[in-house]
Amino acid sequence: MITLQSSSIVCSSASRGIRTTLQAPKLRHLSLPKLPTRDLVEELKMRIGYTTTTQIEMKPQTTTTTSTRDDDGPSSSTVISELYAIMESVADRVEMHTNIGEQRDNWNHLLLTSINAITVAAATMAGIAASGGMGAPLVALKLSSTLLYSAATGMLLVMNKIQPSQLAEEQRNASRLFKQLHGKILTTLALRTPTPMDVKDAMAKVLALDKAYPLPLLGTMLDKFPATVEPAVWWPQLRGPAEQEGLGGKTEKNGWSSKLEEEMREIVGVLKRKDTEEYLRPSKIVLKVNRILAISGPLLTGLAAVGSAFVGSPHGSWAVFLGVVAGALASVVNTLEHGGQVGMVFEMYRSSAGFFRLMEEQIESNLKEREVERRENGKLFEMKVALQLGRSLSELKDFAASSSRNGKATEEFGSKLF
């Protein structure tokens, strides 16, 4: 009995094993990862510049992926990288111009103090030598005074040539303009996807600023006493069609209307007649004064050196006069020129005239653009012009209207800012 029960248990177990083996295995439910949405795919393609095609078939192991490079132009990621590289270079230039501007301002103060101290010491020695010195003390005082005056003359020649106060003002302007360019690039990256044209424009502006405000002193330094006075130019040439083509009617396109175009033309006329000339005229006067002072200082110290060399001679009266009085006058002239920073004043007037010249070219460039859609937005451009002139939009419109009525007889300047 026990044997039969054991045999039946073995047989039933074997049959269950056979049935289990013969049954087909149950397939588990496979969960595939969620595919990216179409919008995300399109965004990735736009960022990296690749067109990706993916084909998925139901058969196992038949998924194929092909990638092709979009060779129509540089990808947006490349353009963004280029703009960031330009931004880094601009930020570095801001730091360089700031540091060099401080250094050259220190030059002005240190050289002014040193030359005046040398001149006063030389005049004092010439006076002491003439007051009764004899023998070796007289020779020592005369020689010391002559050497000091000669050193002051050489230092004045170099200082008047480079004009440290004007150099410092140039570097301050360059630092401010490079900061402005850095901010414009940041705005472009924040508002829209940059294009290769943005990169080209930024590069042109950087090179134009480098040319307008060079860092080296030798070879590329700006002429401190130019033959003709022109406004400072720190921007690349703004190109536009030769002929003006306005809207003609009252239809507004891209924020522009015939009324706004007429308003901008009136503002350009006032800027040319009044504001630009208002800064060019005093800059010419300041340049003449600076040229006279730059010649007078070394000339006076040179005469004082000659006079101090003849102190104690038979013609000692006029020698003492030259040695003392010319030295005192040289200190006064040097203080007026470099203490008053006449070179800096000239550069300030020249840069202010350049500011208005840039505004004129920007307005004319927009007005000459035949395709209104390619211009800067009219409303935005009008607001920028108003801010640059220190006016509200209503004040700008009223000013343009009054200028149109009065013509050249208007006495009001376009800018209320400076």
Side-chain angles (χ1 to χ4, degrees):
M1 177 67 80
I2 295 173
T3 305
L4 292 174
Q5 290 178 354
S6 299
S7 300
S8 63
I9 290 172
V10 171
C11 291
S12 63
S13 298
S15 63
R16 282 198 302 268
I18 293 170
R19 285 196 301 270
T20 303
T21 305
L22 293 176
Q23 288 178 356
K26 294 182 179 180
L27 296 176
R28 295 182 180 180
H29 178 69
L30 300 177
S31 60
L32 296 175
K34 187 177 180 180
L35 295 176
T37 62
R38 183 178 181 84
D39 293 339
L40 181 57
V41 172
E42 293 297 328
E43 182 180 354
L44 289 174
K45 288 194 293 184
M46 182 183 68
R47 286 182 177 275
I48 64 176
Y50 280 91
T51 304
T52 304
T53 304
T54 305
Q55 298 178 353
I56 302 177
E57 299 182 6
M58 296 303 296
K59 296 179 180 180
Q61 297 180 354
T62 60
T63 301
T64 60
T65 301
T66 60
S67 298
T68 59
R69 179 69 176 175
D70 187 4
D71 295 330
D72 293 338
S75 64
S76 59
S77 61
T78 303
V79 173
I80 292 173
S81 300
E82 290 174 349
L83 273 183
Y84 272 109
I86 294 174
M87 279 178 56
E88 291 176 2
S89 179
V90 168
D92 185 53
R93 279 170 167 80
V94 170
E95 191 69 22
M96 284 193 298
H97 284 283
T98 300
N99 294 339
I100 292 178
E102 294 175 357
Q103 178 196 59
R104 291 174 181 177
D105 189 50
N106 288 336
W107 284 1
N108 186 62
H109 295 296
L110 293 173
L111 286 172
L112 172 63
T113 304
S114 301
I115 292 174
N116 278 348
I118 290 173
T119 305
V120 170
T124 303
M125 290 180 181
I128 294 174
S131 64
M134 296 291 292
L138 175 62
V139 174
L141 289 171
K142 287 170 52 179
L143 182 59
S144 298
S145 178
T146 303
L147 290 175
L148 287 176
Y149 274 134
S150 300
T153 302
M155 294 172 69
L156 269 177
L157 287 172
V158 174
M159 190 176 184
N160 293 344
K161 175 66 177 178
I162 65 175
Q163 293 290 317
S165 64
Q166 188 172 345
L167 288 174
E169 181 66 15
E170 290 173 4
Q171 302 309 312
R172 284 191 288 265
N173 287 334
S175 179
R176 176 180 61 84
L177 293 169
F178 272 116
K179 287 179 182 178
Q180 188 180 83
L181 178 58
H182 189 274
K184 287 182 179 179
I185 298 175
L186 278 178
T187 303
T188 300
L189 290 169
L191 294 180
R192 58 182 173 83
T193 302
T195 63
M197 199 65 189
D198 294 320
V199 176
K200 184 178 179 181
D201 182 61
M203 281 291 295
K205 288 180 179 179
V206 170
L207 296 178
L209 279 171
D210 287 340
K211 182 179 179 181
Y213 300 105
L215 288 171
L217 284 178
L218 301 177
T220 59
M221 184 181 69
L222 297 179
D223 187 8
K224 300 301 181 285
F225 301 97
T228 57
V229 179
E230 295 291 338
V233 177
W234 59 83
W235 59 91
Q237 184 178 3
L238 302 178
R239 297 181 180 179
E243 298 178 359
Q244 294 187 5
E245 183 174 317
L247 291 175
K250 296 183 179 180
T251 305
E252 183 173 324
K253 294 181 180 179
N254 193 26
W256 287 90
S257 63
S258 57
K259 183 178 179 181
L260 180 57
E261 288 182 348
E262 187 62 30
E263 177 184 325
M264 291 295 111
R265 290 191 182 97
E266 291 297 332
I267 292 172
V268 168
V270 174
L271 291 179
K272 287 182 178 180
R273 292 193 307 268
K274 302 289 291 184
D275 296 79
T276 304
E277 288 299 321
E278 178 66 16
Y279 284 94
L280 282 179
R281 186 168 53 253
S283 64
K284 294 176 183 178
I285 297 173
V286 171
L287 180 61
K288 290 179 181 178
V289 172
N290 196 27
R291 184 179 283 113
I292 293 171
L293 293 175
I295 295 173
S296 301
L299 179 62
L300 288 171
T301 52
L303 291 174
V306 173
S308 63
F310 287 96
V311 171
S313 65
H315 304 284
S317 58
W318 64 264
V320 174
F321 181 83
L322 281 179
V324 177
V325 177
L329 287 175
S331 297
V332 173
V333 169
N334 190 34
T335 303
L336 286 175
E337 181 181 7
H338 300 290
Q341 299 190 2
V342 181
M344 181 272 292
V345 174
F346 169 71
E347 183 62 28
M348 181 184 66
Y349 279 129
R350 202 173 70 94
S351 297
S352 299
F355 171 79
F356 294 116
R357 178 66 60 83
L358 175 60
M359 286 192 65
E360 295 169 16
E361 292 191 12
Q362 287 175 337
I363 296 173
E364 290 175 345
S365 176
N366 275 277
L367 293 177
K368 290 178 181 179
E369 179 58 58
R370 297 182 180 182
E371 298 181 14
V372 181
E373 290 77 9
R374 295 181 60 183
R375 299 179 183 177
E376 187 174 356
N377 182 270
K379 300 297 183 183
L380 177 61
F381 186 72
E382 184 183 20
M383 186 187 70
K384 288 182 179 180
V385 171
L387 289 173
Q388 287 174 334
L389 296 179
R391 296 175 179 270
S392 65
L393 288 174
S394 59
E395 288 178 340
L396 187 68
K397 295 180 185 293
D398 294 340
F399 170 71
S402 64
S403 174
S404 178
R405 289 193 301 268
N406 300 329
K408 295 184 179 181
T410 182
E411 296 183 357
E412 187 178 2
F413 290 93
S415 176
K416 296 176 67 176
L417 187 60
F418 58 87

